Amino acid sequence: MKNKANTIKQALKSVINQDNFTPLHAPIFEGNEIAYVTDCIESNFVSSVGEYVNRLEEMLQEYTGAKYAVVTVNGTAALHVSLILCDVVRDDEVLMPALTFIATANAVSYIGATPHFVEVDEETLGVDAKKLDDYLSEISSMKDGFCVNKQSRKRIKAIVPMHTFGHPVDMDALNTVAKKYNIEVIEDAAESLGSFYKGKHTGNHAKLSAISFNGNKIITTGGGGAILTNDEVLAQKAKHITTTAKIPHKWEFNHDMIGFNYRMPALNAALGVAQMEQMDKFVRAKRALALRYMEAFKDIEGVKIFKEPKYAQSNYWLGALILDKGYEDIRDELLQVTNDANIMTRPIWTLMSKLEMFKECPKMNLSVSESLEKRVINIPSGAWL
Ligand SMILES: Cc1ncc(COP(=O)(O)O)c(C=O)c1O
C-alpha cells in the first residue's frame, strides 16, 4: 500500500518538478491586472456602474459565444438568480448530481426548494442521462404538464448538471431527457470557462448557466461570477434582479420586485478583463499539464488521470487522479504522503446526499458516485506548472 502511494507521489513529483509547497491552484497575475485595477480606482467608478463591468461582459460574450453575459458577485449568486429565472419556487425539487460542490445545493436551498440527488457517469463525471431517464420514468408522473415526484408529490422543476473539474456533461443526452419530462436545465458551468461541448462553449447548452471567477478558477476576479444566456428577455431580467430590481431613472428610487445586490463591482471586473485577455494561454497551459500527467501515469497500474470525454474539449481546470476499483484502500495513504511531501492533494467533495442538511433529501441509487467519492483525488493544476 505504502509502495503504491509512493510510486504515485513520485510520478506527481516528476511532473511538478519543484520542492516548495505546490497548491492545487493559485491565480496568475502577469498581464494588465495592476494597470486596469489602478485605472478603475482612478476613474472613481469602483462599484457596479463602470466601464469594466460592461467590458468584461462583452469579452465573455465573445469568448463563449453566448449572446448575453451578466456578471455577478459570485458563481453561487449566478446560480441562485438562474434558478429564480427558471421559475423555481419554494417546495419545488431540483435535480442535481450528488457529486458536486456545495454551492449547487445551497443555491437551490436559498429558494426553499429541495435538492434531489442524481447519479453521475464514471466516464464523464457528469449526470448520467440514461439512468436519469429510467429513474424519472419510475418515480415521477406528469401532472398539468409538470413532472411530479410521486412520493413527495412535489414538482420537479429543474435540473442543474455540473461540468465537473471543467469536463462537459453530455448535454444533448441530458437535454433530451429534460425535454421529455418538461424540466428546465441550468448548467452549473462554474468550473468550465474554456471548455467546449461538441465545439460549442459550455453554458450555451441550456436556458441559463452560471460561471464562477473565484480565486481558484481558471480566471479570477477575486470573487465573482456570471450568468450566460442566449435569451434577451432572461438577460434583461438577470440584470434587473441582480441590481436590486431598480427601475432606471435619473433620480427616483423605484423597485418593482424584491431584487438582490448581486452585481459584480467594477474593481473586480477590471481584474477580470485583464484575466480574460490571458484566457487562451491559461487553457493551453492546463491542457499541456494534463498531458504531462497522463504521460507520467501511463505505466502505473491501478490509477489513471481523468481524460476529457470524446465529445469535449475541456479546460482541465482541476486535475483528477482516479484509483481503479480495488485500490480504494490506498487513498488515505496517498493523501498523507503527498501532502507530507508539500504536494497538495485532496479527495473529491463529500457527496451532498451525505451532508447533515441534505441527508433527508430525495436521491436515486448513487453507487457510481459513492464509488468515485472513494477513488478521486485532485492534484496540483496551476497553469504555472
Ligand atoms: C461546481 C461549482 N458550483 C458553484 C460554485 C460557486 O461559485 P462561487 O464560489 O463563485 O460562488 C463553484 C465554485 O466555487 C463550483 O465549483
Side-chain angles (χ1 to χ4, degrees):
M1 199 158 91
K2 188 136 192 166
N3 269 352
K4 176 61 80 181
N6 272 321
T7 307
I8 294 173
K9 179 190 79 182
Q10 281 313 121
L12 289 173
K13 231 177 163 159
S14 72
V15 174
I16 292 167
N17 202 18
Q18 61 177 38
D19 289 327
N20 39 350
F21 175 69
T22 310
L24 289 190
H25 338 253
I28 298 176
F29 301 125
E30 32 178 59
N32 290 315
E33 287 85 356
I34 292 177
Y36 293 169
V37 172
T38 307
D39 181 53
C40 181
I41 292 169
E42 284 171 357
S43 78
N44 256 346
F45 284 93
V46 291
S47 285
S48 50
V49 179
E51 193 205 330
Y52 282 105
V53 176
N54 299 335
R55 251 169 84 185
L56 179 57
E57 289 179 340
E58 280 159 21
M59 288 176 97
L60 285 168
Q61 285 158 200
E62 192 179 339
Y63 184 81
T64 62
K67 279 201 186 127
Y68 307 97
V70 177
V71 290
T72 56
V73 286
N74 55 49
T76 312
L79 274 174
H80 184 194
V81 168
S82 298
L83 289 157
I84 292 171
L85 294 180
C86 280
D87 296 323
V88 173
V89 294
R90 179 170 293 280
D91 290 334
D92 279 341
E93 286 180 9
V94 176
L95 304 167
M96 71 182 66
L99 198 73
T100 186
F101 177 61
I102 187 82
T104 326
N106 280 346
V108 166
S109 306
Y110 297 162
I111 297 177
T114 306
H116 184 153
F117 300 114
V118 301
E119 182 65 303
V120 295
D121 180 328
E122 168 122 17
E123 299 306 312
T124 67
L125 304 181
V127 172
D128 185 324
K130 167 80 177 71
K131 283 189 184 162
L132 177 68
D133 190 9
D134 293 346
Y135 176 65
L136 288 175
S137 73
E138 194 184 306
I139 66 113
S140 74
S141 60
M142 298 304 287
K143 193 162 175 253
D144 303 328
F146 289 109
C147 178
V148 175
N149 179 339
K150 286 193 278 194
Q151 197 175 7
S152 65
R153 298 177 184 222
K154 290 180 174 178
R155 182 170 77 150
I156 301 175
K157 178 64 181 155
I159 181 161
V160 189
M162 194 275 284
H163 305 300
T164 310
F165 310 144
H167 301 293
V169 174
D170 187 354
M171 289 305 296
D172 285 351
L174 185 89
N175 279 326
T176 304
V177 177
K179 197 166 174 203
K180 177 171 164 190
Y181 296 92
N182 190 25
I183 292 172
E184 302 279 12
V185 183
I186 297 157
E187 291 176 69
D188 183 340
E191 304 178 353
S192 68
L193 184 67
S195 299
F196 294 79
Y197 171 72
K198 296 187 178 172
K200 207 167 166 193
H201 198 280
T202 49
N204 279 295
H205 303 274
K207 209 167 176 174
L208 291 146
S209 71
I211 293 181
S212 166
F213 305 120
N214 186 31
N216 63 359
K217 296 299 185 291
I218 190 155
I219 66 158
T220 187
T221 58
I227 297 166
L228 298 183
T229 182
N230 286 296
D231 181 318
E232 187 181 357
V233 175
L234 287 176
Q236 278 167 356
K237 282 189 184 167
K239 200 162 170 179
H240 188 59
I241 205 174
T242 53
T243 49
T244 67
K246 183 177 181 296
I247 300 167
H249 191 279
K250 268 196 171 157
W251 57 84
E252 270 177 14
F253 278 92
N254 271 320
H255 305 258
D256 57 4
M257 61 183 287
I258 295 175
F260 300 90
N261 184 9
Y262 273 178
R263 190 99 170 119
M264 181 189 285
L267 211 47
N268 300 74
L271 198 55
V273 169
Q275 290 267 286
M276 273 306 285
E277 289 173 350
Q278 301 163 79
M279 208 29 220
D280 290 339
K281 179 178 78 180
F282 294 153
V283 174
R284 261 200 316 275
K286 285 196 175 253
R287 291 184 60 80
L289 176 63
L291 283 179
R292 281 164 52 218
Y293 275 133
M294 281 176 213
E295 183 60 27
F297 279 83
K298 73 176 193 303
D299 295 325
I300 304 179
E301 202 193 301
V303 57
K304 64 176 191 298
I305 298 294
F306 187 82
K307 204 172 167 189
E308 67 195 355
K310 283 198 186 70
Y311 51 67
Q313 176 152 11
S314 170
N315 66 0
Y316 281 94
W317 165 63
L318 183 55
L321 185 153
I322 308 196
L323 300 168
D324 288 349
K325 286 184 187 143
Y327 285 84
E328 294 85 351
D329 285 356
I330 70 164
R331 188 193 83 160
D332 291 351
E333 183 71 38
L334 181 56
L335 290 165
Q336 191 71 53
V337 298
T338 46
N339 282 289
D340 284 351
N342 264 343
I343 299 170
M344 184 175 173
T345 56
R346 91 175 174 210
I348 197 168
W349 314 284
T350 301
L351 296 186
M352 294 301 106
S353 48
K354 288 188 177 167
L355 299 179
E356 192 56 35
M357 58 283 195
F358 299 128
K359 69 179 192 217
E360 303 301 328
C361 292
K363 58 175 185 275
M364 65 188 269
N365 180 317
L366 297 172
S367 54
V368 173
S369 307
E370 280 158 8
S371 169
L372 286 168
E373 186 191 26
K374 295 186 200 123
R375 296 186 290 120
V376 178
I377 291 179
N378 291 118
I379 54 180
S381 310
W384 76 91
L385 285 170

